[in-house]
Amino acid sequence: MTTVVTIWHNPACGTSRNTLEILRAAGVEPVVVDYLKTGWDRLTLQRLVDGVGTGARGLLREKGTPAEALGLLGPDIADEVILTAMLEHPILVNRPIVETSRGVRLCRPSEVVFVLLDTPPASFIKEDGETVRS
């Protein structure tokens, strides 16, 4: 039985690139979704939010996004408002998100992905030369 592994990926992000390469080092060729190009659909985004367990706020990316300009950073902003903004502005979703049969995680830092893998690599050297171990 083949388990599908999916990464919602931004190729311009070093953490996302490292996570993708950790998956490949583990012998996994994931489905790669460049969500900045494809956008999001509500059902998928809600499933990922629920899977991560932090609510939409937990996946909200602030750096390099219009989150502040859209008024999304206040503590009283409802998850539904954040989720709707994420659908309109995909850059608001932090990355990378990985989904395997073991669950869903926001892989920041990239080595978080180790917990989602049946056989993670014993070690991995990131783009910046840092070695991480499973």
Side-chain angles (χ1 to χ4, degrees):
M1 179 177 152
T2 303
T3 302
V4 175
V5 174
T6 304
I7 180 172
W8 283 268
H9 176 62
N10 177 348
C13 170
T15 301
S16 198
R17 290 190 305 271
N18 281 320
T19 303
L20 178 58
E21 292 309 313
I22 290 170
L23 290 169
R24 289 176 172 156
V28 174
E29 187 52 48
V31 173
V32 179
V33 179
D34 185 340
Y35 67 92
L36 293 177
K37 290 182 179 178
T38 64
W40 292 100
D41 67 80
R42 184 172 290 276
L43 289 176
T44 300
L45 187 54
Q46 186 65 62
R47 184 182 82 245
L48 295 174
V49 165
D50 293 345
V52 170
T54 60
R57 180 171 304 283
L59 290 180
L60 179 64
R61 182 166 179 85
E62 298 176 21
K63 182 180 174 186
T65 76
E68 184 174 8
L70 293 170
L72 300 174
L73 302 183
D76 58 337
I77 306 303
D79 265 15
E80 182 58 32
V81 172
I82 295 171
L83 189 73
T84 298
M86 289 172 162
L87 293 169
E88 294 173 20
H89 306 277
I91 191 73
L92 290 170
V93 180
N94 214 342
R95 75 285 178 154
I97 301 170
V98 176
E99 182 177 39
T100 75
S101 61
R102 291 179 154 216
V104 179
R105 295 284 188 283
L106 172 62
C107 294
R108 298 192 73 80
S110 55
E111 54 268 26
V112 168
V113 77
F114 289 151
V115 301
L116 295 174
L117 298 170
D118 292 331
T119 53
S123 66
F124 179 80
I125 301 173
K126 293 183 180 183
E127 290 179 356
D128 66 2
E130 177 188 1
T131 299
V132 292
R133 304 198 187 305
S134 58

